Amino acid sequence: MSDAIRAETVFIGEEQIQAYQARPVDSTPVGGVVVIHHLPGYDQATKEMVRKFAANGYSAICPNLFWREAPNAAPDDASAFVRGQGGIADEQIIRDVATAAAALRGLDNANGKVGVIGHCSGGRQALLVSTAVDLDAAVDCYGAFALEAPPVGSRLNAVSIKDRLGDVRCPVLGLFGDDDKYPAPDEVARLAELLAEHGKSFEHHSYEGAGHGFFAVDRPSYRPLAAVDGWQRVFAFFEKHLGA
């Protein structure tokens, strides 16, 4: 496979949702990854992640989940507005990720397999969409508020998805920090128990000395050892479930 990639803004689905896409240039069939951006928005850090997947042999796409509420706004402004509205409704997230997955499957170099990954709010949403969209793999990176409600004063309207877990349609990888509060280790343990009760495949790893956002290279929360190991696990997981 060539190491050349093409990265650009695209518009997908009947609604022409704004999205950022990166893909290998050559015609070798590859799997696809929907990247769900975090609450800070459709930002440069997330777009860099999309390009990282392309550089590693996947077609990847990140739909701008805030495009309806704040068209053409800067990521920080769009995020502030959406946070003030309590976040994006779960059913809208599901529709947008389903649209992005269909766009990936429609590419001329698609092998038909699509996974999803998200961090923080996006981690919860990756788990959420795995209950409602036909996907081949899902990665939840420290997804907050999957089982527990947000703290008072957060203004987020996230609700527990505990009752949806029996509908998970694909293997799930979870990556968490032992020092995180949202989700805290006991919530991760409960999530593992619930998925096991439903007979779902849930591979999960927690990192000592890492808290929320340990993948974020531009934040004080960055933990290089945890992030490097986490990326290795992500690519091994996707190779297993999205490979040709």
Side-chain angles (χ1 to χ4, degrees):
M1 177 178 291
S2 167
D3 61 358
I5 66 170
R6 176 174 178 175
E8 60 191 331
T9 298
V10 296
F11 296 88
I12 59 175
E14 292 184 0
E15 292 184 86
Q16 290 293 280
I17 300 167
Q18 184 187 50
Y20 186 72
Q21 177 179 282
R23 54 183 295 197
V25 169
D26 71 14
S27 60
T28 303
V30 298
V33 179
V34 179
V35 178
I36 302 179
H37 64 70
H38 53 177
L39 190 58
Y42 178 74
D43 57 9
Q44 289 301 317
T46 305
K47 291 179 179 181
E48 183 175 346
M49 192 181 303
V50 173
R51 294 191 296 272
K52 184 179 182 75
F53 280 111
N56 281 272
Y58 296 89
S59 293
I61 192 167
C62 175
N64 182 357
L65 303 176
F66 302 163
W67 72 280
R68 295 179 187 85
E69 288 72 18
N72 302 316
D76 287 349
D77 294 337
S79 176
F81 180 80
V82 168
R83 189 188 292 268
Q85 301 299 308
I88 302 296
D90 285 348
E91 297 309 313
Q92 181 174 308
I93 299 291
I94 290 170
R95 289 194 301 271
D96 286 354
V97 172
T99 297
L104 287 169
R105 290 193 175 104
L107 295 175
D108 56 12
N109 66 338
N111 70 4
K113 298 178 181 179
V114 174
V116 64
I117 186 171
H119 297 69
C120 188
S121 61
R124 173 191 176 275
Q125 290 159 353
L127 186 61
L128 167 73
V129 299
S130 77
T131 71
V133 180
D134 287 329
L135 297 166
D136 298 283
V139 180
D140 168 6
C141 298
Y142 37 82
F145 315 130
L147 302 182
E148 304 290 342
V152 175
S154 74
R155 302 183 69 182
L156 294 176
N157 295 327
V159 297
S160 171
I161 59 174
K162 179 175 66 174
D163 293 341
R164 294 181 181 250
L165 296 179
D167 296 325
V168 167
R169 303 184 185 186
C170 63
V172 179
L173 171 66
L175 300 172
F176 307 97
D178 283 347
D179 294 344
D180 204 341
K181 294 181 179 179
Y182 304 109
D186 61 342
E187 183 174 351
V188 174
R190 289 200 304 276
L191 177 62
E193 290 173 1
L194 288 168
L195 288 169
E197 288 174 6
H198 289 295
K200 306 303 179 181
S201 173
F202 182 49
E203 175 187 345
H204 60 100
H205 305 273
S206 292
Y207 294 96
E208 184 179 357
H212 202 73
F214 65 79
F215 276 102
V217 298
D218 57 348
R219 296 185 179 191
S221 59
Y222 181 52
R223 296 294 181 270
L225 294 179
V228 169
D229 185 79
W231 275 117
Q232 290 173 345
R233 293 181 186 276
V234 168
F235 284 116
F237 184 73
F238 279 157
E239 173 61 26
K240 178 179 179 180
H241 297 291
L242 305 183

